[in-house]
Amino acid sequence: MQSTGTMQRTGGRTAAAPVPAHCPYCALQCGMNLTPADGGTVEVSERTDFPVNRGALCGKGRTAPAVLASGARLTSPLVRSDDGALVPAGWDEALDRIARNLVRTRAEYGADALGVFGGGGLTNEKAYALGKFARVVLGTSQIDYNGRFCMSSAAAAGTRAFGLDRGLPFPLEDIPKTGCVILVGSNPAETMPPALRYFSELRENGGTLIVVDPRRTRTAEQADLHLAPRPGTDLALALGLLHLVVAEGRVDEAYVEERTAGWEEARAAAMAHWPEYVERITGVPVPELREAVRLFCAPDAAMVLTARGPEQQAKGTDTVGAWINLCLATGRAGRPRSGYGCLTGQGNGQGGREHGQKADQLPGYRKLTDPAARRHVAGVWGVDPDSLPGPGRSAYELLDALGTDVRSLLVMGSNPVVSAPRAAHVEGRLRSLDFLAVCDVVLSETAELADVVLPVTQWAEETGTTTSLEGRVLLRRRAITPPDGVRGDLEVLHGLAGRLGVEKGFPTEPEEVFEELRRASAGGPADYSGIDYGRLAEENGVFWPCPAAGAGAGAGAGDGPVPHPGPPHPGTPRLFLDRFATADGRARFVPVAHRPSAEEPDAEYPVLLTTGRVVAQYQSGAQTRRVAELNAAAPGPFVELHPRLAARLGAAEGDPLAVVSRRGRAVAPARITTGIRPDTVFMPFHWPGEGRANTLTNPALDPTSRMPEFKVCAVRVEPVPR
């Protein structure tokens, strides 16, 4: 199929026709048109035919082409010279050096001494090929990705309750049509601005919005009710609301009886969290708890949507599970205009965890421990199922093992020096490696530590698919040719596989990789077998599961296709309307109870730190910090604190403050606001250096999802002499 713009006559000259594409940043994957422009970049224009953003773009999307400019990005491989400097090199030299070091490490320490760290921004094709490369070519179990730091708790809780994880089990267009939304730990006004219109339209239609956030964010300002719990107490808050649902007789008994299992145990756990007890834990007054229950239960339909706030905790899976229990008890899941959903963060955070770059999964969201799943995928790959390694370490555990158990690492599309918890420690582990190779568009802080850096293509220079937070599989089209000296990630994996003795199985054409992905996913929970590039182009995306014509979606990991004769499957915009993806079709309540955060304040560290994003920067900032317009809007880190805390410290607006945890120290200017709790400070995490927020954060892990506790840790705040 055609992947670049055609030419047309305009005003007597030949111009390139716009290419329909999608933004490279968040999981909305907003539609945009790209037109080739001078300097090897593109111009972005409005694309109104894509239903998610309807033409609207945030500042990051509008300025995305700036990262394509030669001054902002890498255009030649770099290798570490004898004097320690990174110097330009040819592709053969760079790939040979990587292959040689991987072979040496494997020969000396074994296959599991090789590590692979991927990213939630990689296309489905890249994520699929990276997981296959790790398991087939390297033979290592040590692969995970930065999406573990984003949605893993919601994924675990959703799978536990519903039998299947998809960020949203309904399209975004359903949000304005429901009666009430509880938005927990999410600030779409800054993280995904085009999505805010859905919540505005909800209120215009007579619905209500409840925002749960310790800060009065731009999103919270739009809410009918803002609940500001103490960081780390979202679990208690959800249990307190469920207690009131029971006590006030608001349980949908018929729904619970017909469509769920495990209610009595979950009910008993919730009843131990009476309102006054929850108020003491969370700081949310009992009248506000009662009002939240009234607003949520009054309409016929309602939703709970979570994001990183409740998920990035060492009890994140149970916390999300408690919010799911609230939905189930009130009959708000698996019904039209109702349900629980997760607002996925990274551009391909959904697809990235479905197709094999996660430590415990195979393509199609199959479990690596399932013998039937191993047989199916091994058959597609043409290898012995017994040759596939088992599950490896989760993301933080993998990073923590660098330099000891894991001696060489390949990083693709991630910047853990800035994004990982306990970041100074992670930086030290990266420095201790025998060998580090990084594939990136820019010289990120992680790439600066590498022995070999490979310059790879950006979104407008390559074709591939992503899967949005709705579960909508989308086609990104190539609009321009990459600069000389830049190659695609698929070309990198092809070149390395050949050097490591695997001549076939790693094509460089994305559509060829996707065709194999379709076969590998067939019959699995995330079944893409009925999707092809032609459909994606014609239909503006297709929702999974979408089995091939003549087959239906498998009931679970490892199941074969269920007969489904007839025309092509239309895709599945709305899940669970007839049954949940469990063996008996019933959703599962899970009894949970509040427990403290892994690190509570004490005399030495009396304040709570929570972290997050700002509208003009994205994730580790590796790309957005290279865009002048975005830097002008958000030039650096800051410490947001309440006036009462500022007064105790004697701090004025803009004064440098040191925030100190048990793991390190960060310094940034004060930003004083009444929009945050007096016992809490907030720092955005986009910057390296002395203002690096993740120097402070706690790597305590959720026992199920292995999510680190980014959202809450104990700190002290100190003025810094000027």
Side-chain angles (χ1 to χ4, degrees):
M1 64 176 294
Q2 187 171 336
S3 62
T4 56
T6 58
M7 306 302 289
Q8 61 185 8
R9 299 291 297 179
T10 58
R13 62 183 178 85
T14 302
V19 176
H22 294 274
C23 179
Y25 291 118
C26 83
L28 285 182
Q29 288 297 280
C30 291
M32 55 172 59
N33 283 320
L34 303 179
T35 305
D38 294 338
T41 184
V42 293
E43 292 180 355
V44 168
S45 59
E46 192 175 88
R47 180 183 166 196
T48 57
D49 69 310
F50 188 62
V52 170
N53 61 310
R54 297 174 242 167
L57 294 170
C58 73
K60 294 187 289 291
R62 285 190 300 99
T63 61
V67 185
L68 299 171
S70 59
R73 49 100 56 87
L74 296 168
T75 55
S76 170
L78 303 174
V79 299
R80 188 74 61 183
S81 65
D82 292 340
D83 64 3
L86 282 172
V87 298
W91 271 94
D92 284 341
E93 178 186 353
L95 292 172
D96 287 346
R97 185 177 293 200
I98 296 173
R100 188 166 58 249
N101 279 278
L102 295 178
V103 168
R104 180 184 299 126
T105 297
R106 186 168 57 186
E108 188 168 352
Y109 299 104
D112 274 355
L114 303 176
V116 177
F117 199 85
L122 300 179
T123 63
N124 290 318
E125 293 81 358
K126 294 178 186 179
Y128 172 84
L130 188 63
K132 181 181 179 182
F133 176 82
R135 296 179 174 105
V136 172
V137 179
L138 300 182
T140 183
S141 66
Q142 301 303 302
I143 175 172
D144 211 71
Y145 82 126
N146 61 19
R148 177 79 68 170
F149 297 158
C150 292
M151 294 76 56
S152 58
S153 292
T159 300
R160 193 166 67 177
F162 306 130
L164 181 69
D165 157 52
R166 195 179 84 184
L168 292 181
F170 42 74
L172 285 162
E173 66 184 45
D174 285 2
I175 291 175
K177 302 171 185 175
T178 193
C180 178
V181 172
I182 302 181
L183 190 59
V184 189
S186 177
N187 182 18
E190 299 209 48
T191 59
M192 46 180 65
L196 193 62
R197 70 168 61 187
Y198 291 99
F199 302 101
S200 300
E201 291 170 4
L202 163 73
R203 300 184 69 216
E204 291 167 4
N205 293 340
T208 53
L209 175 63
I210 301 169
V211 171
V212 179
D213 199 304
R215 304 167 61 224
R216 189 162 181 80
T217 63
R218 288 173 55 197
T219 303
E221 290 172 353
Q222 308 298 313
D224 297 280
L225 177 64
H226 173 211
L227 307 180
R230 183 175 176 268
T233 64
D234 308 270
L235 174 53
L237 178 62
L239 288 163
L241 297 182
L242 183 54
H243 177 110
L244 287 170
V245 165
V246 176
E248 296 177 3
R250 298 179 184 272
V251 175
D252 188 332
E253 301 285 359
Y255 172 93
V256 168
E257 174 67 23
E258 180 183 353
R259 299 203 61 188
T260 72
W263 167 234
E264 289 305 320
E265 294 84 354
R267 177 186 180 279
M271 296 313 289
H273 299 76
W274 61 94
E276 291 77 14
Y277 172 57
V278 170
E279 179 180 310
R280 289 200 300 273
I281 294 170
T282 66
V284 177
V286 171
E288 292 185 8
L289 299 175
R290 295 187 184 277
E291 178 66 359
V293 169
R294 185 189 71 80
L295 292 174
F296 185 66
C297 294
D300 293 334
M303 299 174 179
V304 172
L305 305 177
T306 67
R308 307 303 80 75
E311 298 163 16
Q312 288 181 325
Q313 298 184 32
K315 53 181 181 290
T317 302
D318 284 354
T319 300
V320 174
W323 289 103
I324 291 175
N325 286 349
L326 179 66
C327 288
L328 294 176
T330 53
R332 305 306 174 92
R335 284 179 167 173
R337 300 174 290 110
S338 286
Y340 163 77
C342 161
L343 296 177
T344 302
Q346 293 192 78
N348 197 33
Q350 182 68 51
R353 66 181 181 266
E354 294 169 3
H355 295 301
Q357 65 171 335
K358 193 164 172 275
D360 55 354
Q361 285 175 349
L362 289 169
Y365 228 146
R366 288 181 156 92
K367 294 181 179 178
L368 190 54
T369 53
D370 182 344
R374 293 170 67 89
R375 286 194 301 272
H376 174 85
V377 174
V380 174
W381 288 351
V383 300
D384 183 342
D386 292 339
S387 71
L388 298 178
R393 293 175 173 87
S394 70
Y396 179 77
E397 292 166 303
L398 173 57
L399 295 172
D400 190 42
L402 300 180
T404 53
D405 295 332
V406 177
R407 308 300 294 254
S408 292
L409 182 70
L410 172 65
V411 176
M412 188 172 282
S414 189
N415 187 19
V417 166
V418 179
S419 63
R422 197 185 174 197
H425 171 75
V426 169
E427 180 178 345
R429 300 320 307 155
L430 285 160
R431 292 181 183 277
S432 73
L433 282 165
D434 295 347
F435 182 77
L436 172 63
V438 174
C439 302
D440 211 328
V441 177
V442 298
L443 190 65
S444 69
E445 287 72 24
T446 302
E448 289 176 352
L449 305 181
D451 298 286
V452 177
V453 182
L454 300 179
V456 290
T457 48
Q458 249 278 25
W459 98 111
E461 302 162 347
E462 58 186 12
T463 294
T465 62
T466 62
T467 305
S468 74
L469 78 171
E470 302 176 294
R472 189 195 302 252
V473 185
L474 301 164
L475 180 64
R476 284 187 191 166
R477 300 165 177 86
R478 172 172 163 168
I480 55 173
T481 302
D484 292 338
V486 173
R487 296 185 184 179
D489 295 279
L490 296 178
E491 293 178 274
V492 170
L493 295 176
H494 174 85
L496 289 176
R499 285 166 169 81
L500 294 169
V502 180
E503 299 292 340
K504 296 182 179 180
F506 291 88
T508 60
E509 287 300 319
E511 190 167 6
E512 188 176 347
V513 177
F514 190 80
E515 288 300 306
E516 183 177 301
L517 181 157
R518 293 175 62 198
R519 299 198 307 275
S521 74
D527 190 336
Y528 283 30
S529 61
I531 305 172
D532 59 37
Y533 274 29
R535 282 194 68 178
L536 295 178
E538 293 168 6
E539 300 177 29
N540 244 339
V542 178
F543 291 86
W544 71 261
C546 182
D559 296 332
V562 178
H564 181 78
H569 193 284
T572 314
R574 295 170 182 86
L575 297 170
F576 313 139
L577 295 181
D578 299 318
R579 69 190 309 274
F580 294 97
T582 55
D584 60 5
R586 291 173 173 267
R588 299 288 189 268
F589 282 98
V590 177
V592 294
H594 170 72
R595 58 185 184 271
S597 298
E599 188 174 81
E600 291 287 333
D602 57 21
E604 188 176 2
Y605 300 98
V607 177
L608 291 168
L609 168 70
T610 192
T611 64
R613 296 205 273 143
V614 297
V615 66
Q617 301 289 353
Y618 180 73
Q619 303 298 80
S620 75
Q623 295 185 38
T624 51
R625 286 187 275 110
R626 287 166 168 80
V627 179
E629 180 180 330
L630 300 178
N631 280 335
F638 56 86
V639 180
E640 187 177 279
L641 71 165
H642 192 275
R644 295 214 302 260
L645 178 55
R648 288 204 300 272
L649 297 170
E653 182 77 13
D655 284 354
L657 294 176
V659 183
V660 184
S661 78
R662 289 177 173 85
R663 288 153 296 282
R665 180 176 187 266
V667 177
R671 183 174 293 184
I672 301 171
T673 174
T674 57
I676 191 168
R677 292 174 55 95
D679 58 2
T680 300
V681 295
F682 166 83
M683 290 187 72
F685 61 80
H686 309 290
W687 289 273
E690 71 170 3
R692 181 174 59 186
N694 277 322
T695 296
L696 308 168
T697 48
N698 191 349
L701 300 179
D702 180 286
T704 302
S705 69
R706 316 309 287 169
M707 167 74 83
E709 190 152 79
F710 286 98
K711 285 300 180 186
V712 54
C713 69
V715 299
R716 65 175 181 268
V717 185
E718 304 168 339
V720 176
R722 287 185 181 272

